[in-house]
Amino acid sequence: MKKRSLRAALASGLIAFTAGVVGPASIQFAYSQEKVKTEKVLTIAVPFGPKSSVPDPRARQNGWLSNRAGVSETLVGLDYQMKMFPRLAESYRNVSPTQWEFTLRENVKFHDGSDLTAQQVKDSFLKLNDKDHSAYNPRLIKLLNIKEISVKDDRTLVFETNEPNSAFIWSLTEPTASVIKEGTDKLPIIGTGPFVFVSAEAEKNYHTKAFADYWGGKPKLDGIVMDAISDASVAALALKAGDVDLVTNYSEPDFAALEKSNQGQRFEGATTRLFFYQARTADGPLANKELRQAISLGLDRDLIVEAALAGVGGDPAHSIFPVTMESWVNQALEASYDRDKALEILDNAGLKDTNDDGIREIDGENIVLKLRSYEGRPALKPTLEVTQALLSKLGLKVEISMGEYQANNDALKLGEIHMHLQAWGTAPQGDPDYFPSTLLDSEAGYNFSGYNNPKLDALLEKGRGEFDPVKRKVIYDEIQEIIAEDLPLIPVFHKTQVSVGNGKVKGYRIHPAETYLASPELDIEG
């Protein structure tokens, strides 16, 4: 095992970081010290940790971590070209506009040694709608819109939706749609993946061990530790000290320096992740559409990419989807930087500085915009800072701060802040419905902007009911046009993930959806 040198220094106070930010002082597998020394355990620094000590993979962000850690699996998956492939399902077919039949893969075992059956799949999905269960997931319930699940035999089941839903099959690729068996004291989370859940500490770490009976082959690693290190500079120090083997979300400026000197084990890959502002449109100053339009025009996205990402790891966003999503992106849209036009829009809307204090006014009050973001992704804070500088040139006073992600959402919903800078994968399911339906549908759980557009709601419903991809493209092009006009979401840039290893990591690839990481092929030398 590696020496935990950085953690020892942290514990002794030699390095003044917040206690506990780096994670546990040692790997907590229930093995003897002699056995641990011979095992191949990969320690990975990730920006976010589990939400509890027993994080049910079907709830909230837990599924993303569990799927990446190789503990849980879905019926259908996404390959590295963002195309669907059968995962726990051997095959699937659309029986009717509202019915989907699945045949399960043979010889799949849960981590307790029992066989995967159609009844177990049904039981797992039923828990999503149980408010008293840890799997309760109202957002996924809405996306799937399941009416009934029928078991035909041990390997065959049929999902029936309330309405035609072309996005249904894509929604099943989401990590929270994983198939989980009810846990026990010995195995609190029972999945089917190549790694077995061992333990977790909320917001800090997640431990697994290899599952020898995995249907896809025995893993090369004996275990994985996911260490939550939200500060990229601390993660880089942990890598240098030998406390972690891989940093998944490396600081872009530091990565650029490594690239320039041709040092380090570097990985990079384009993703569907979008850095964007969710604006409070229901009330407050940003209920004014002209102000939102001026803000978008006042964002020099090329400058932000250069400043926040050191010129690596991102491209200016013109739509919610990146240009790499050729099937869905509206190529006609352009979010240009035009300060003069922004000033003109503000003047024409009557948003002027009438008392010569340098700040424009709305309804006789100075426009003071409160912007907030969160730790965990290095580019968020500098993006916030550059935005503040750019918007001040429009005569807007901007106050920025960093907070906890959910607390920021709550503040946005209450109108206590006006914009929340976030980083989401816009198509982690490979389908265009997920992102706008989750954030902009008037009844969506994550619609903290208070945005309400009946036309958009109708288009989202129409898009889910259309199965012809050519016709769907027309619908989602119009959806993107409405977003670009109304700007309840203000896109900033699309992200390329950059990671750095210790030179010994093998079999690691960056997935475009960022929801896959651990596999039987993942390994570490020596």
Side-chain angles (χ1 to χ4, degrees):
M1 288 290 295
K2 303 178 294 296
K3 294 180 180 179
R4 315 301 280 184
S5 54
L6 178 62
R7 297 189 202 228
L10 284 165
S12 65
L14 295 176
I15 300 178
F17 293 126
T18 303
V21 72
V22 176
S26 60
I27 295 178
Q28 300 174 358
F29 289 114
Y31 306 130
S32 69
Q33 191 66 26
E34 286 300 313
K35 186 174 181 181
V36 170
K37 289 180 180 177
T38 64
E39 289 190 326
K40 290 200 296 184
V41 177
L42 185 69
T43 304
I44 306 172
V46 294
F48 304 103
K51 298 303 176 185
S52 69
S53 60
V54 185
D56 194 306
R58 293 163 291 190
R60 296 174 63 84
Q61 294 94 344
N62 292 329
W64 269 255
L65 181 62
S66 180
N67 197 70
R68 298 184 82 208
V71 171
S72 56
E73 295 180 301
T74 50
L75 290 172
V76 186
L78 290 173
D79 65 19
Y80 282 82
Q81 286 72 48
M82 295 294 285
K83 296 179 180 178
M84 277 190 294
F85 70 91
R87 202 174 181 193
L88 290 178
E90 178 182 271
S91 62
Y92 49 87
R93 64 192 183 102
N94 191 198
V95 180
S96 75
T98 59
Q99 291 181 310
W100 302 79
E101 183 179 281
F102 291 81
T103 300
L104 300 180
R105 190 181 295 275
E106 289 188 280
N107 302 317
V108 175
K109 292 188 177 296
F110 282 106
H111 293 153
D112 64 353
S114 62
D115 293 328
L116 173 70
T117 66
Q119 185 62 48
Q120 291 284 8
V121 174
K122 177 180 178 178
D123 292 344
S124 181
F125 275 88
L126 290 179
K127 298 296 189 297
L128 295 171
N129 207 24
D130 184 348
K131 294 183 179 180
D132 297 322
H133 197 278
S134 60
Y136 180 59
N137 191 331
R139 182 182 60 82
L140 184 58
I141 291 168
K142 187 175 188 301
L143 290 174
L144 294 174
N145 196 18
I146 297 172
K147 179 181 180 180
E148 185 180 6
I149 304 174
S150 304
V151 174
K152 296 180 69 174
D153 56 49
D154 278 352
R155 291 182 55 217
T156 312
L157 71 161
V158 176
F159 289 83
E160 183 177 354
T161 58
N162 285 299
E163 291 93 26
N165 182 4
S166 57
F168 175 80
I169 191 69
W170 295 94
S171 296
L172 286 181
T173 70
E174 179 175 314
T176 55
S178 55
V179 178
I180 302 295
K181 187 177 179 181
E182 288 300 282
T184 64
D185 290 340
K186 185 177 181 181
L187 287 172
I189 297 176
I190 304 177
T192 59
F195 293 90
V196 180
F197 173 79
V198 174
S199 66
E201 189 175 359
E203 302 296 351
K204 291 185 178 181
N205 53 74
Y206 190 98
H207 300 254
T208 72
K209 63 181 180 181
F211 183 42
D213 294 327
Y214 178 57
W215 62 267
K218 182 180 178 181
K220 294 181 178 179
L221 290 171
D222 294 301
I224 293 174
V225 175
M226 297 285 199
D227 241 346
I229 307 179
S230 61
D231 189 318
S233 61
V234 176
L237 284 172
L239 180 66
K240 186 175 181 180
D243 293 333
V244 301
D245 304 300
L246 174 69
V247 177
T248 59
N249 294 76
Y250 207 77
S251 163
E252 284 78 19
D254 292 342
F255 187 88
L258 290 176
E259 198 170 57
K260 185 176 181 180
S261 60
N262 195 27
Q263 293 181 335
Q265 186 183 19
R266 306 185 305 277
F267 306 89
E268 58 183 309
T271 72
T272 68
R273 187 165 300 279
L274 173 71
F275 280 55
F276 67 97
Y277 285 101
Q278 185 174 22
R280 180 66 188 174
T281 63
D283 45 46
L286 293 183
N288 187 301
K289 186 168 79 170
E290 287 80 8
L291 179 54
R292 300 196 302 269
Q293 291 173 335
I295 287 171
S296 182
L297 287 166
L299 294 180
D300 186 342
R301 291 166 172 81
D302 288 305
L303 175 64
I304 292 173
V305 168
E306 184 60 38
L309 304 174
V312 302
D315 297 292
H318 299 286
S319 173
I320 58 174
F321 300 128
V323 293
T324 51
M325 285 187 65
E326 296 179 6
S327 298
W328 300 115
V329 65
N330 186 334
Q331 300 279 7
L333 296 176
E334 183 177 359
S336 58
Y337 171 57
D338 193 332
R339 180 169 171 263
D340 290 339
K341 187 174 180 180
L343 294 171
E344 180 184 348
I345 287 175
L346 292 171
D347 288 341
N348 291 340
L351 307 179
K352 299 180 180 181
D353 175 15
T354 61
N355 58 7
D356 295 324
D357 65 353
I359 304 173
R360 292 176 182 268
E361 299 145 27
I362 186 169
D363 297 329
E365 298 288 335
N366 280 352
I367 298 175
V368 181
L369 301 177
K370 296 180 180 180
L371 278 58
R372 195 180 292 176
S373 194
Y374 50 95
E375 301 291 350
R377 299 192 183 279
L380 286 169
K381 188 175 182 180
T383 298
L384 206 60
E385 293 168 342
V386 177
T387 298
Q388 181 184 42
L390 289 168
L391 297 189
S392 68
K393 295 180 180 181
L394 300 180
L396 306 175
K397 184 177 179 180
V398 177
E399 298 176 354
I400 63 173
S401 61
M402 302 294 284
E404 189 271 330
Y405 177 76
Q406 189 54 48
N408 295 350
N409 285 335
D410 294 339
L412 187 68
K413 186 176 182 178
L414 293 171
E416 296 172 352
I417 63 173
H418 305 115
M419 294 205 298
H420 183 197
L421 175 63
Q422 306 176 53
W424 278 48
T426 57
Q429 306 164 347
D431 187 80
D433 179 69
Y434 162 81
F435 188 67
S437 283
T438 301
L439 284 159
L440 296 176
D441 187 294
S442 59
E443 297 182 1
Y446 279 76
N447 185 354
F448 303 116
S449 65
Y451 181 67
N452 188 336
N453 186 329
K455 182 178 180 181
L456 184 70
D457 288 349
L459 284 169
L460 288 170
E461 184 176 356
K462 185 178 180 181
R464 288 189 291 268
E466 179 57 65
F467 287 75
D468 185 325
V470 176
K471 293 179 180 178
R472 288 192 83 207
K473 176 67 166 62
V474 174
I475 296 169
Y476 286 97
D477 274 355
E478 187 173 356
I479 287 171
Q480 291 170 74
E481 289 168 4
I482 291 174
I483 295 171
E485 171 68 20
D486 280 2
L487 292 168
L489 306 178
I490 302 177
V492 183
F493 61 82
H494 298 288
K495 186 74 174 57
T496 294
Q497 184 178 320
V498 292
S499 307
V500 177
N502 62 1
K504 299 180 180 180
V505 178
K506 300 170 65 178
Y508 172 66
R509 295 178 66 189
I510 296 172
H511 193 280
E514 300 178 77
T515 49
Y516 300 80
L517 196 161
S519 69
E521 292 75 34
L522 189 62
D523 199 3
I524 185 167
E525 294 178 357

